[in-house]
Amino acid sequence: DRPIIDGKSQQEQVLFYKSRGYARYELNRFNDAGDDLHRAIDLGKRTGLKDSSLYRRLAELEMRAGRYDEAIDFSKTAMRMVMRSQGGSSWLKGPYLGFQSRVQHRMGNFWRAGQSIKRAYGYYKTIPDWARYSLATYKGELRDQGTGSEILTAEAELLEAQGLYSQAYSLRAQVLNHNYSHRKLMPLGAVYARLALADNLMCQGRLVEAEREARIAVSEAMGIYGKYAAITATALQILGEVMLAKGDLTSADTLSNA
């Protein structure tokens, strides 16, 4: 919540609002995050700074808000910007098409969502190793940057939307493994991936496993974000749903009130 310091150049202001917007996103404060990201984009237009990641994050916020056309538009803008900056390399399209598939199935267009996933996997296979792996962030250890996990998430969501939870399970597990290995950089993603796995297990009727994952997610959410954070409330709600499915109405009521 710290305000920007007076006298900052426009370029410094762009970086400030981007940084604060990302921090607010990690805290589940999506309205505040959107305000900051829009400010960063507006300032960037005046200074000639073009940052595709701002549009990509705004696309996620619009999808969460149910504004699907806007989410698609922001995603396409981000994809065009990043391709332009990299000489038009088509292998960059994979994660964006994966995201667009997530929006499309929310709009009820399962066939189109499936086609987007097929195209996304096709582009992902052509990514060169120098673009797929990163050394810089992980102290010299070669690790996948995770562009494939976005496509896996999209496929899992599409399968679950059709009731195919057992088929989606292995995809959810892969996404959790990737996000958990990156939890120091993006803790919110790791918590959400675990909650998605817990929900998947619950829908399969694997309630003991679902309860275990949900309890871990609650602990992680509280440890990172605190007792009164929105992500903690989400984790408590999903754990409550698992307890309800188990028939433990007292625990479900307690968690719901919490």
Side-chain angles (χ1 to χ4, degrees):
D1 292 317
R2 181 180 300 170
I4 192 167
I5 299 172
D6 292 336
K8 293 282 188 181
S9 68
Q10 286 191 326
Q11 185 172 356
E12 289 172 326
Q13 290 178 52
V14 171
L15 295 175
F16 171 84
Y17 286 117
K18 176 182 177 179
S19 177
R20 194 174 71 173
Y22 274 46
R24 287 173 161 178
Y25 180 90
E26 284 293 327
L27 289 168
N28 250 34
R29 292 170 54 177
F30 298 133
N31 287 335
D32 291 338
D35 290 342
D36 278 346
L37 296 177
H38 277 292
R39 288 183 187 177
I41 286 175
D42 291 341
L43 287 163
K45 289 177 179 178
R46 298 179 207 169
T47 59
L49 288 173
K50 296 180 179 179
D51 189 338
S52 63
S53 67
L54 293 171
Y55 290 89
R56 189 169 180 174
R57 184 54 56 87
L58 277 174
E60 295 173 12
L61 291 171
E62 293 298 318
M63 181 179 71
R64 288 181 181 277
R67 294 187 286 267
Y68 299 131
D69 289 334
E70 289 85 346
I72 291 286
D73 288 343
F74 278 128
S75 177
K76 288 182 176 179
T77 298
M79 183 172 68
R80 287 193 296 268
M81 290 175 68
V82 75
M83 287 184 65
R84 197 175 299 123
S85 68
Q86 298 293 328
S89 301
S90 60
W91 49 262
L92 293 161
K93 292 182 178 181
Y96 297 94
L97 289 170
F99 171 81
Q100 289 165 30
S101 169
R102 296 174 66 197
V103 180
Q104 288 158 356
H105 98 252
R106 283 166 169 78
M107 298 172 76
N109 196 332
F110 288 1
W111 181 86
R112 190 175 178 187
Q115 292 301 306
S116 293
I117 289 172
K118 288 181 181 179
R119 292 175 61 206
Y121 275 123
Y123 285 121
Y124 182 71
K125 291 177 182 177
T126 67
I127 299 177
D129 283 349
W130 63 264
R132 182 174 298 175
Y133 297 95
S134 171
L135 286 168
T137 309
Y138 298 101
K139 302 177 182 178
E141 181 184 351
L142 191 66
R143 299 182 73 174
D144 194 316
Q145 296 189 88
T147 49
S149 69
E150 298 187 43
I151 308 172
L152 291 171
T153 297
E155 185 179 6
E157 287 189 3
L158 180 58
L159 288 168
E160 289 171 348
Q162 299 171 85
L164 303 173
Y165 291 96
S166 60
Q167 293 184 37
Y169 170 73
S170 64
L171 303 175
R172 288 296 189 192
Q174 290 179 64
V175 172
L176 173 58
N177 287 337
H178 170 76
N179 280 276
Y180 192 74
S181 70
H182 291 68
R183 65 191 182 281
K184 291 184 179 179
L185 290 173
M186 297 174 287
L188 186 65
V191 177
Y192 269 124
R194 192 178 297 282
L195 289 172
L197 182 63
D199 186 69
N200 177 283
L201 288 165
M202 179 180 66
C203 292
Q204 290 187 66
R206 297 164 62 178
L207 300 180
V208 173
E209 296 168 272
E211 181 183 347
R212 176 183 178 275
E213 296 297 340
R215 285 184 181 277
I216 294 172
V218 169
S219 178
E220 290 174 342
M222 289 185 65
I224 298 167
Y225 299 100
K227 185 175 181 179
Y228 297 103
I231 184 62
T232 304
T234 300
L236 287 169
Q237 177 180 323
I238 289 180
L239 178 57
E241 291 173 1
V242 173
M243 302 312 289
L244 182 62
K246 291 183 72 176
D248 186 347
L249 304 185
T250 301
S251 294
D253 183 56
T254 299
L255 290 162
S256 176
N257 289 331

